[in-house]
Amino acid sequence: MVITFEANATAEQLHAVEAKLRDLGFQVVRAPSTGRVVLAAVGDGALPPLEEVRVMPGVAEALRIPEPFKLASRSFRQETSVIRIGDVEIGGSAVVLMAGPCTIESEEQMVKTAAAVRASGARVLRGGAFKPRTSPYSFQGLGEEGLKILARVREETGLPIVTEVLDTETVELVAQYADCLQVGARNMQNFSLLKKLGRTRKPILLKRGMSATLEELLLSAEYLLAEGNYEVILCERGVRTFSDHTRNTLDLSAVPYVQRISHLPILVDPSHGTGKRQKVLPLSRAAVAVGADGLMIEVHPHPEAALSDGPQALLPEMFAELMRQVRLLAPVVGRTA
Ligand code: PEP
Ligand code: MN
């Protein structure tokens, strides 16, 4: 249930409603909004009849939240949430580009990549230090050394960094270095990881699982919100289908659908979504056209030598062209880039 209060509601009136719902076994959460006070009662108890709450002093409206995800829903919060990574706003008027290699391999690679993508207009640097690899024999990432490289490159370039956290054991470590913690597709339903990340105060980039419905994605986001972390950015990165001309099938219809039912911003990752360098530019154009709040793009100065995901990595000059086209397209959908 979501309860909106009158503009002049008193603290006592608010507390009376909160107390009533808590007594019924609900957790009561206040929407992070600048306007009128909005509360949500979440939990698995039996909600009181709406009328009973509506007649309480100070209450303007009480409505059920029809979706199974409550705090992530637009019924709870009507304005799109703007999430900050460093000083970069995701979910505002700008389409934000995050770019960098799949995995951090060396300082030289990161410095080169970061300088190039920054010059083209990327606002956030990506790169994995802990990599979720299908084979245990594949390069697993540089670990903390990779995080240190990221932090040094942030110093040099001013670009905030997003990097993946693989497990509960390394949450504190990764959080020490990163400006935004990425939860990969394979971990979207790692509920103990989500709960722990919900208790951190770092923004989370939550990628859609490769066979997850949008409801499952939003319920995973709900784990983060339910623990008190509202800084959540979603990411569509393609799902598994019978189609085998691309690595995954990029489900661009997820963008307007999620934007209708949730207030959380959503990015598109056409790199993992297609797995093919030549497909990244056209799908990036489509993602901007469909209303994505940003793009996550893999870029490598020498893709042929990349230790992971080389076939989908753009050369820096290809990223520059992508950025040029994104800048032309963004105004068509009322955005900037
Ligand atoms: C990545 O971003 O490098 C990655 C591993 O992505 P995903 O979790 O979407 O496969
Ligand atoms: Mn990758």
Side-chain angles (χ1 to χ4, degrees), residues 273-297:
T274 65
K276 294 185 178 174
R277 180 175 306 121
Q278 298 305 333
K279 300 285 176 286
V280 172
L281 175 59
L283 272 296
S284 295
R285 287 195 297 258
V288 173
V290 87
D293 296 300
L295 301 174
M296 179 177 250
I297 309 287

Side-chain angles (χ1 to χ4, degrees), residues 245-265:
H245 64 289
T246 48
R247 180 177 177 185
N248 290 292
T249 297
L250 193 62
D251 181 10
L252 288 176
S253 67
V255 173
Y257 192 82
V258 163
Q259 287 170 337
R260 185 168 62 76
I261 58 178
S262 175
H263 56 86
L264 298 174

Side-chain angles (χ1 to χ4, degrees), residues 101-103 126-128 130-133 164 182-187 205 207-208 210 235-238 247-248 269 272-273 296 298 308-309 312:
C102 181
T103 188
R126 65 146 286 150
F130 295 94
K131 294 303 301 175
R133 303 306 300 278
E164 179 160 357
Q182 176 173 324
V183 177
R186 292 155 189 82
N187 261 330
L205 174 60
K207 297 188 90 175
R208 181 182 182 183
M210 57 184 84
C235 182
E236 161 60 37
R237 47 78 73 205
R247 180 177 177 185
N248 290 292
D269 168 357
H272 295 87
M296 179 177 250
E298 286 189 346
S308 69
D309 287 348
Q312 69 197 32

Side-chain angles (χ1 to χ4, degrees), residues 176-196:
Q176 268 176 42
Y177 294 92
D179 299 295
C180 175
L181 302 171
Q182 176 173 324
V183 177
R186 292 155 189 82
N187 261 330
M188 188 202 84
Q189 285 188 316
N190 181 338
F191 300 119
S192 46
L193 179 61
L194 295 174
K195 282 184 191 167
K196 187 154 183 189

